[in-house]
Amino acid sequence: MAGTSQDGHVAYVSMEYGLENGMNTYNGGLGILAGDVVRGFADLDVDAVGVTLLNEYGLGEQQLDEDGTQHVEPAPWPVEEYCEPLDATVSMTIGGHDVTIGAWRYDVESEHGGTVPVIMLDTDREDNDNWIRELTQRVYAPGKDEGFKLAVYLVLGIGGVRMLDELGYDVSTYHMNEGHASFLTLELLRRNDLDAEAVREQCVFTTHTPVAAAHDEYHYDLLADLMGDLVPIETVKEHSPQGMVHTTRLALNLSRYVNGVAKRHQEVSQEMFPEHAEHIDAITNGAHVPTWVGDDIADLLDENIRDWRVYPTKLQHATLIEDEPLWEAHQAQKRDLIEYVRERTGVELDEDVLTLGFARRAVPYKRAPLLFQDKERLREVVARAGDVQIVYAGKAFPGDEQGKDIIREIYSHAEDLAGEITITYLEDYDMEMGLKLTSGVDVWLNNPRRPREASGTSGMKAAFNGVPQFSTIDGWWVEGHIEGETGWSIGPEPHSPREQRMNDAQEDLVDATALYDTLEQEVLPTYYDDREEWIGIMRNAIAFNGSRYHARRMMEEYLATAYAPEN
Ligand SMILES: *Cc1c(COP(=O)(O)O)cnc(C)c1O
């Protein structure tokens, strides 16, 4: 039977991986998810193997000058300290050039399960031409042209399949994490005499992109030139027939099982690809609980819930944790964050002031500056309902001027509000900072433009720590949100007529207004005047959302559906 996890390995192929803090091999949520997936595999002791690129120069280290202008310094990470070099190479040709690919292995070890290796492909070898050496150096190849990016995807897909073979893995399922990995189907087509059904039996695909324009597309000629005679370009056209090589369509057409990463994202994907509507399932993301819980909450959970690390569904028993110890554990983590912020910025946050956290990649749809849409109104909210302080973090992709403007804009609002509202921006958002922030703030703020947040996972990390989310109802929050119980919403419900009619400017206005109103009438009064109620919401965040939006549940769903033999 093809595709059971029992009769071979699941190979999880992803352009980026958030493995541990010192390894700068990821850009954002997609990579962090890949890391949490593999941590979930290890906990469940599944026969699985990860595949990615070495990305030895990382994404770069972010520095911000006085006005918030981002500078990115190359940030190579010490590969030998984390990874073991493998004595294996494979070769392929790209644009007629010979490419030799080496590999490194990083082991993800579970405290209570097994070990899952991640194979990291490396073209930076003396036997390769200079441009080929660069293919696996930087995450998503900033500043490079389309041909270079396509070549990178070919290394991941074709090089990945060949390397697994060379290393002796018996792979029953190739799981493509986002369209970047979809060229692995080309190598599988070649091996199966272009028999698409045989390829489909071996492939599973998870899409993450809820907007049509954001899917990667390339000219057939470009791919034909680069891949040479690997497979006829006519075969690619057959499986990506809309005039371009569309990496998502290729994966949709050549996978036996396909899913979006939340219920809402499933619907959006079905609308985008109606011919695949029947075929697109939903598995809502989960974050890896032991990785994303702060020390003090972890101690508290140890005292109250046996084996919560092994079986995080048991976090439902958090309903029985008492007020006082929950509040104390939270405040201890908050003090830890305050210290962390002081060390990095010199800014002194107040332990008794409601603290909002917002850490995201600096891209327009995440709308980092939404809170400042109407500063007079924000001043009024604070004057009437109580103080807030805000911690921001997030990188713009190197060279992304729009993203850089967003960071500068936050800096300028912070300056305008200096002396009234403490606002600080932390440099170089990474996994360690992600944990500090989601475990140490009082409220996790999230206000993406709908339906752009396919899932989002940082709000799940917050939930594990008893930090309620305050968010537009998009991504996983459509499922995790119970108003005033697990957090709060911003703006209209999905599918409401009001949501359907909005353009971007209206959406900003409607959401900013809702944000101010809810902050003034619900969030701040509860925090300052009804601490008991507040702690109840913290407890619910753990008990209702922590117990569901975790990596073990996510991976059990993949095992039961995506990797099951009947799928
Ligand atoms: C969790 C995390 C993300 C993803 O969070 P989103 O909610 O999807 O934006 C990105 N980067 C880092 C460093 C993280 O820890």
Side-chain angles (χ1 to χ4, degrees):
M1 266 185 299
T4 59
S5 54
Q6 287 76 35
D7 70 354
H9 277 69
V10 176
Y12 193 83
V13 185
S14 179
M15 271 291 277
E16 48 169 317
Y17 261 95
L19 292 167
E20 61 177 281
N21 205 53
M23 299 171 72
N24 192 8
T25 58
Y26 57 90
N27 174 43
L30 187 73
I32 303 290
L33 176 78
D36 281 352
V37 161
V38 171
R39 287 183 275 274
F41 277 137
D43 286 346
L44 291 167
D45 207 4
V46 175
D47 285 335
V49 54
V51 178
T52 188
L53 306 177
L54 186 60
N55 296 325
E56 68 199 283
Y57 288 67
L59 185 65
E61 188 186 328
Q62 179 197 48
Q63 287 166 7
L64 299 172
D65 64 19
E66 280 124 71
D67 72 343
T69 300
Q70 170 177 297
H71 304 275
V72 176
E73 294 294 324
W77 52 279
V79 173
E80 293 85 354
E81 279 178 29
Y82 294 95
C83 303
E84 184 197 327
L86 295 177
D87 186 21
T89 56
V90 294
S91 50
M92 62 186 288
T93 60
I94 297 182
H97 299 265
D98 291 327
V99 176
T100 305
I101 304 171
W104 300 76
R105 192 176 90 193
Y106 174 84
D107 282 334
V108 174
E109 288 166 34
S110 166
E111 278 173 32
H112 50 265
T115 297
V116 172
V118 177
I119 307 301
M120 310 182 83
L121 305 174
D122 183 8
T123 59
D124 189 2
R125 311 165 48 87
E126 279 172 15
D127 40 7
N128 285 328
D129 291 347
N130 277 338
W131 71 273
I132 292 169
R133 297 184 68 157
E134 288 181 41
L135 290 171
T136 61
Q137 284 179 350
R138 295 195 65 190
V139 194
Y140 298 116
K144 298 291 187 179
D145 63 17
E146 285 203 326
F148 191 92
K149 289 188 178 161
L150 250 180
V152 173
Y153 295 170
L154 287 166
V155 169
L156 178 68
I158 295 160
V161 172
R162 291 184 183 175
M163 183 57 77
L164 290 172
D165 233 34
E166 177 67 22
L167 295 171
Y169 287 100
D170 170 23
V171 177
S172 56
T173 296
Y174 294 90
H175 189 153
M176 297 173 264
N177 187 40
E178 191 57 313
H180 320 120
S182 66
F183 291 157
L184 67 82
T185 60
L186 303 180
E187 172 68 1
L188 297 180
L189 280 166
R190 186 187 69 79
R191 291 177 175 205
N192 289 279
D193 301 321
L194 310 184
D195 176 356
E197 205 40 57
V199 174
R200 245 171 242 131
E201 276 174 23
Q202 303 171 64
C203 291
V204 162
F205 173 50
T206 300
T207 175
H208 296 260
T209 310
V211 168
H215 290 259
D216 272 318
E217 292 188 302
Y218 301 92
H219 288 289
Y220 294 127
D221 290 349
L222 185 58
L223 179 62
D225 285 349
L226 291 172
M227 73 174 177
D229 60 5
L230 184 81
V231 292
I233 194 68
E234 296 312 318
T235 305
V236 176
K237 289 184 184 172
E238 217 178 289
H239 302 297
S240 177
Q242 273 83 356
M244 298 281 271
V245 184
H246 189 284
T247 56
T248 302
R249 287 187 192 277
L250 192 63
L252 286 169
N253 281 312
L254 289 167
S255 295
R256 66 169 195 261
Y257 174 91
V258 176
N259 70 292
V261 289
K263 191 72 187 144
R264 178 81 183 114
H265 179 234
Q266 173 194 30
E267 296 163 9
V268 171
S269 303
Q270 289 171 329
E271 282 162 30
M272 233 171 353
F273 304 106
E275 66 280 27
H276 293 281
E278 297 264 309
H279 180 199
I280 301 176
D281 195 9
I283 293 181
T284 302
N285 282 343
H288 186 250
V289 172
T291 302
W292 299 111
V293 174
D295 291 343
D296 299 278
I297 294 287
D299 288 345
L300 178 72
L301 294 173
D302 283 337
E303 284 160 26
N304 287 276
I305 305 174
R306 246 182 95 149
D307 294 332
W308 60 275
R309 288 182 178 82
V310 180
Y311 194 63
T313 301
K314 293 180 83 174
L315 291 175
Q316 67 200 44
H317 300 313
T319 47
L320 301 173
I321 297 176
E322 293 191 18
D323 284 10
E324 189 69 17
L326 178 54
W327 181 252
E328 285 311 319
H330 169 70
Q331 287 298 97
Q333 292 189 172
K334 187 173 180 180
R335 285 191 291 274
D336 196 37
L337 171 66
I338 290 172
E339 173 67 27
Y340 182 85
V341 169
R342 183 192 305 124
E343 279 168 15
R344 273 164 183 73
T345 63
V347 170
E348 195 65 49
L349 297 173
D350 185 337
E351 184 185 339
D352 298 318
V353 169
L354 181 119
T355 305
L356 297 173
F358 187 105
R360 329 239 145 220
R361 286 177 301 111
V363 290
Y365 86 81
K366 302 256 191 190
R367 295 191 297 186
L370 189 74
L371 184 63
F372 307 111
Q373 174 104 351
D374 180 349
K375 269 178 281 193
E376 271 321 299
R377 179 78 179 102
L378 179 61
R379 287 190 171 99
E380 194 180 273
V381 168
V382 170
R384 286 187 194 155
D387 284 338
V388 295
Q389 52 197 8
I390 312 152
V391 187
Y392 284 93
K395 299 178 187 174
F397 191 71
D400 171 14
E401 292 305 322
Q402 251 188 324
K404 289 168 73 177
D405 285 346
I406 291 170
I407 302 173
R408 266 193 296 264
E409 190 184 335
I410 299 291
Y411 266 66
S412 93
H413 293 306
E415 203 174 296
D416 289 350
L417 291 162
E420 299 170 84
I421 299 176
T422 304
I423 298 161
T424 180
Y425 204 111
L426 301 177
E427 286 173 327
D428 209 35
Y429 182 35
D430 62 7
M431 289 176 70
E432 180 192 64
M433 190 180 292
L435 174 58
K436 287 273 187 233
L437 286 167
T438 53
S439 66
V441 299
D442 297 304
V443 173
W444 193 245
L445 179 64
N446 185 39
N447 46 39
R449 223 171 236 143
R450 314 161 182 77
R452 298 287 317 244
E453 193 80 291
S455 167
T457 56
S458 55
M460 300 172 183
K461 303 169 192 169
F464 303 154
N465 288 282
V467 172
Q469 185 169 245
F470 182 26
S471 170
T472 39
I473 316 180
D474 200 17
W476 81 281
W477 198 232
V478 175
E479 298 157 55
H481 150 257
I482 308 171
E483 189 66 18
E485 299 290 336
T486 58
W488 302 269
S489 62
I490 298 171
E493 294 280 339
H495 306 298
S496 67
R498 194 150 167 237
E499 189 205 30
Q500 305 296 317
R501 280 198 306 271
M502 292 190 293
N503 64 33
D504 284 359
Q506 287 166 332
E507 189 177 0
D508 291 352
L509 188 65
V510 165
D511 289 343
T513 306
L515 201 169
Y516 297 131
D517 290 350
T518 305
L519 194 60
E520 179 177 345
Q521 289 153 26
E522 305 293 336
V523 181
L524 286 164
T526 311
Y527 184 81
Y528 286 115
D529 307 332
D530 194 349
R531 194 52 53 84
E532 217 178 295
E533 171 86 13
W534 184 269
I535 297 170
I537 296 169
M538 294 173 60
R539 195 163 30 225
N540 291 344
I542 305 176
F544 297 140
N545 285 343
S547 69
R548 288 170 65 201
Y549 298 98
H550 57 78
R552 184 180 177 112
R553 189 268 313 145
M554 166 174 69
M555 295 325 294
E556 284 173 344
E557 281 190 51
Y558 278 106
L559 285 165
T561 60
Y563 311 145
E566 60 273 19
N567 266 310

